[in-house]
Amino acid sequence: MSNILIHPGQFPLHQVTYQVTQHNGGPYAFVQYRITTQEHKVYEGVADQHGMTRAIPPATPTS
């Protein structure tokens, strides 16, 4: 798996979703997750059937 770093000013984002994956790269469906941002905001939920989280605001507002 590759990590991609995107500068917020380069591609303005209004929301971000993440995919929860297994060690083999496949999605983890209906698993609980907890995301903590750099601002110490915590987002919890259950991934959907494709392992996707709910939409989360980016660290840097773009409005």
Side-chain angles (χ1 to χ4, degrees):
M1 180 188 333
S2 299
N3 292 321
I4 300 173
L5 177 61
I6 298 175
H7 186 276
Q10 188 177 11
F11 299 100
L13 302 173
H14 297 285
Q15 57 187 352
V16 178
T17 57
Y18 298 92
Q19 186 175 42
V20 184
T21 58
Q22 302 178 37
H23 293 289
N24 66 5
Y28 247 135
F30 307 110
V31 68
Q32 290 183 324
Y33 64 85
R34 171 183 252 178
I35 298 170
T36 304
T37 67
Q38 291 179 340
E39 294 82 21
H40 304 288
K41 292 182 182 178
V42 177
Y43 298 90
E44 295 179 322
V46 176
D48 69 10
Q49 70 271 20
H50 305 289
M52 300 302 292
T53 68
R54 69 182 178 113
I56 297 171
T60 306
T62 59
S63 38

